[in-house]
Amino acid sequence: MAKETTNQPPRRAALWLLATLVVALVYYLPVVQEAFSTANVIQDDARQHVFWMQRYLDPALFPGDLIADYFQSVAPPGYRGLYWLAAKLGLSPLLLHKLLPLPLLLLTAGLCFALTLQLSASPPAAAIASLLLTQGLSLTDAIVSATPKAFLYPLLLGFLYAVARGWRWGIAGAVVLQGLFYPQLVLISAVLSGLRLVDWGRRRLASRSHWLAAAAVLAAAVAVLLPYALQSHGYGPTLTAAAARSLPEMSLSGSRTQFFTTDPAAYWLEGRSGLRLATALTPVTNGLGLLLPLLVWRRSHKLVGLSLLLQVTVASLIMFIAAHLLLFRLHLPSRYTQHSLRVVLSVAAAIALVLLVRQTWRWAQRGWQRGLVGVFGGLLAALVLLYPLATGGSVTAYQVGRAVPFYEFLRQQPANTLVASLSSEANNLPSFTGRSILVGEEYLIPYHSGYYRQMRDRALRLIEAQYSPDPQVVQQLIRDYGITHWLLDGNAFNPRYRQNNGLMQMFPDAAIAGGVPVLQPLAQAETCLAARHRNRLLLDAACLARTLGGEASP
């Protein structure tokens, strides 16, 4: 009997953990269904971060491709290594990116449970925290993307758990992994470790163990960040704030590259420049986390975990400010708050919820009062459990490629095939065909000037050529870049197309000459047609160049 009594708390926690993982699995099932609903499915961000990894299966792919070379060069080494290893084992990167979210989500849920249990000693609070975080992640594409940000959550939670347990080597190991998969997280961890060098409650230096832990973090941070500092990938320099303000697309509302806005509230709270508190407060029940300091205020025994949650928050805000001061050398300011604050509020909300129920239960002395508390607790439980039903389901941002004739045709072309297009379909071609494109809205990332300058020039020249009445402009573009095919939307020469096309909206300063574009009659006559999908035409660029030069097309 004594043995049963001794083992009861761990068994109870294990049951709560099992329930937590089952719930996380249930949340992921619709994602699996969508991911494997058809052959040509890829997550939106994976179109940037995963497509080039097809080189691991076939090194001949994307020869001399500026876009593939750039995204390969900026990918964190641990992230690259994981996909490389999987490819060596015969697993396609495009398949792996659909399989990874499940283990990452389960690992995240388990670590969130472990951290909250360590901070609160309450299995129900740990289960609720994991549920809230799982809900929040189901309403964003962070984990589903299987890009570097998908690894952020388990790495942050693992680090915090090691800190809470006082595991120096675990802390150092977590920081190393952070640097290999999501380097910005290392800076938050380093600042947090610095904050813990002072015992703020007693207003004195912290114990020797905190100093040793901070030294381990510093050593690990230097080891993993130094290679980034010394790296020269050939696409620099990093974009400066002044240079960014000179680019119209960086202030264009709705643009993929928008960073600046004239609305101060939006600038500091939303988008890539803001705290993104709305993200941290998803689901809305995370707002209960703001009550936690009030619930433990002046209690006889302070909640030990509250100090760690506050330190994470302060460290994130410090790095947010630093990222603004050093724009864009520490990348985007929102990267330092939107994810870490979601973790903090999920854990804080769960602990606050359990404390709130316990305190109201202690207050209730009569039967009707306890009945009222039971109803209150039931309503809170229903709010937590049923909230996702009001949101319309999981957010995956999966993109479905439907231009199958183009994919099949281009896969049969040589590896040095290069497609020029203003169509949004161009964003899918590298992933579904393994062939290069000249430019695409999805790949216009402005934070390294050497890369973006080339991409911007390509976009401006392509816009100019597609609407130019001068055959030589089109011919020159084809020759300069070695374009093999030109993809045109059926309504490409409709004035409304220019107003609604995403790529053209980004570059309002593009030079568009008057007159009838030379490509328009060729498209209408389907001259040099290589493949068709509905109203889209894939034209042979060499044939176009010959036709525009006055030679008869084959």
Side-chain angles (χ1 to χ4, degrees):
M1 181 65 69
K3 185 177 181 180
E4 285 292 320
T5 303
T6 302
N7 290 338
Q8 188 175 2
R11 288 185 178 181
R12 181 167 172 257
L15 289 175
W16 279 103
L17 174 59
L18 179 61
T20 292
L21 298 179
V22 169
V23 170
L25 182 61
V26 169
Y27 271 91
Y28 184 69
L29 290 179
V31 176
V32 174
Q33 183 179 7
E34 186 176 357
F36 293 95
S37 59
T38 186
N40 299 309
V41 176
I42 190 169
Q43 206 278 335
D44 184 35
D45 287 341
R47 292 191 294 181
Q48 295 176 358
H49 298 283
V50 176
F51 86 92
W52 62 266
M53 293 184 183
Q54 295 174 85
R55 284 173 162 175
Y56 291 152
L57 297 175
D58 184 356
L61 294 182
F62 306 112
D65 187 320
L66 171 65
I67 299 173
D69 290 346
Y70 172 73
F71 281 99
Q72 182 171 355
S73 72
V74 298
Y79 181 70
R80 291 197 311 263
L82 178 63
Y83 275 85
W84 173 85
L85 179 61
K88 293 303 178 183
L89 296 175
L91 191 59
S92 163
L94 298 183
L95 175 59
L96 180 61
H97 104 281
K98 298 179 184 180
L99 298 176
L100 273 177
L102 177 56
L104 287 175
L105 183 61
L106 293 177
L107 181 60
T108 298
L111 287 171
C112 184
F113 182 95
L115 172 65
T116 310
L117 184 63
Q118 179 66 28
L119 298 182
S120 67
S122 169
I128 294 171
S130 183
L131 171 63
L132 293 177
L133 184 57
T134 299
Q135 286 180 346
L137 293 176
S138 74
L139 300 174
T140 180
D141 64 348
I143 295 288
V144 176
S145 70
T147 60
K149 66 181 177 182
F151 295 83
L152 179 152
Y153 288 92
L155 291 175
L156 174 59
L157 288 163
F159 169 77
L160 294 178
Y161 181 68
V163 169
R165 294 296 300 266
W167 293 345
R168 282 201 302 275
W169 294 113
I171 292 170
V175 171
V176 170
L177 288 175
Q178 289 173 1
L180 292 175
F181 284 87
Y182 201 90
Q184 292 94 337
L185 195 54
V186 174
L187 299 176
I188 295 178
S189 299
V191 173
L192 185 148
S193 298
L195 293 174
R196 291 176 63 81
L197 294 178
V198 176
D199 185 338
W200 299 98
R202 300 177 182 178
R203 298 181 181 180
R204 66 183 187 185
L205 295 179
S207 64
R208 179 173 177 270
S209 62
H210 286 78
W211 284 82
L212 291 175
V217 169
L218 179 61
V222 170
V224 295
L225 293 182
L226 188 59
Y228 288 101
L230 299 177
Q231 180 184 24
S232 177
H233 48 51
Y235 298 106
T238 302
L239 186 69
T240 64
R245 290 184 183 279
S246 69
L247 298 173
E249 57 269 29
M250 293 290 284
S251 303
L252 186 64
S253 178
S255 166
R256 181 179 181 82
T257 56
Q258 182 188 11
F259 184 87
F260 301 105
T261 176
T262 56
D263 182 353
Y267 181 76
W268 290 106
L269 296 177
E270 302 172 7
R272 295 172 174 84
S273 60
L275 292 167
R276 302 192 79 166
L277 289 178
T279 300
L281 290 169
T282 301
V284 292
T285 42
N286 278 1
L288 292 170
L290 301 175
L291 298 176
L292 184 59
L294 299 177
L295 291 174
V296 300
W297 185 257
R298 292 185 178 178
R299 286 171 62 89
S300 58
H301 59 282
K302 297 291 185 181
L303 183 69
V304 176
L306 180 60
S307 61
L308 179 59
L309 297 179
L310 288 174
Q311 288 162 359
V312 177
T313 302
V314 172
S316 299
L317 293 176
I318 288 175
M319 286 310 308
F320 173 81
I321 295 171
H324 269 286
L325 294 175
L326 299 173
L327 210 65
F328 292 89
R329 279 171 282 182
L330 297 178
H331 205 38
L332 300 173
S334 62
R335 297 286 180 89
Y336 296 96
T337 53
Q338 67 179 101
H339 304 294
S340 54
L341 294 185
R342 171 185 275 137
V343 169
V344 167
L345 285 176
S346 296
V347 174
I351 298 175
L353 184 58
V354 170
L355 287 177
L356 190 61
V357 171
R358 286 178 178 174
Q359 290 180 23
T360 52
W361 184 259
R362 292 193 188 100
W363 162 81
Q365 299 295 324
R366 301 178 181 178
W368 70 267
Q369 290 175 328
R370 295 208 164 182
L372 187 62
V373 172
V375 172
F376 173 67
L379 290 175
L380 282 177
L383 176 63
V384 171
L385 291 172
L386 300 179
Y387 172 78
L389 297 178
T391 64
S394 299
V395 174
T396 62
Y398 277 126
Q399 305 296 313
V400 180
R402 305 191 185 279
V404 177
F406 294 160
Y407 310 152
E408 293 177 344
F409 173 82
L410 289 171
R411 287 189 196 113
Q412 304 304 316
Q413 304 308 303
N416 63 350
T417 296
L418 179 63
V419 181
S421 182
L422 299 178
S423 172
S424 60
E425 183 58 44
N427 296 316
N428 293 328
L429 296 183
S431 299
F432 297 142
T433 70
R435 300 299 180 264
S436 303
I437 61 172
L438 181 67
V439 68
E441 181 184 0
E442 186 74 14
Y443 308 98
L444 284 160
I445 306 300
Y447 308 113
H448 290 105
S449 299
Y451 168 75
Y452 188 66
R453 182 174 58 252
Q454 297 180 67
M455 291 296 290
R456 194 176 196 277
D457 289 346
R458 289 183 176 196
L460 292 172
R461 288 192 61 186
L462 178 58
I463 294 170
E464 178 189 7
Q466 182 158 309
Y467 295 99
S468 175
D470 185 353
Q472 293 186 1
V473 174
V474 177
Q475 291 175 312
Q476 190 65 46
L477 183 72
I478 292 173
R479 284 195 299 268
D480 287 350
Y481 292 105
I483 297 168
T484 61
H485 295 84
W486 201 302
L487 174 60
L488 288 171
D489 287 325
N491 60 343
F493 300 102
N494 186 314
R496 291 184 179 178
Y497 179 86
R498 303 181 187 181
Q499 300 172 5
N500 300 325
N501 179 269
L503 195 57
M504 297 184 70
Q505 286 179 339
M506 291 179 63
F507 300 104
D509 54 338
I512 300 179
V516 178
V518 293
L519 289 180
Q520 183 172 349
L522 298 181
Q524 292 172 344
E526 299 189 1
T527 304
C528 302
L529 182 66
R532 165 197 285 277
H533 176 253
R534 296 181 180 175
N535 67 334
R536 286 191 172 116
L537 306 175
L538 186 65
L539 307 179
D540 183 284
C543 173
L544 288 175
R546 290 194 300 270
T547 302
L548 293 173
E551 300 178 25
S553 61

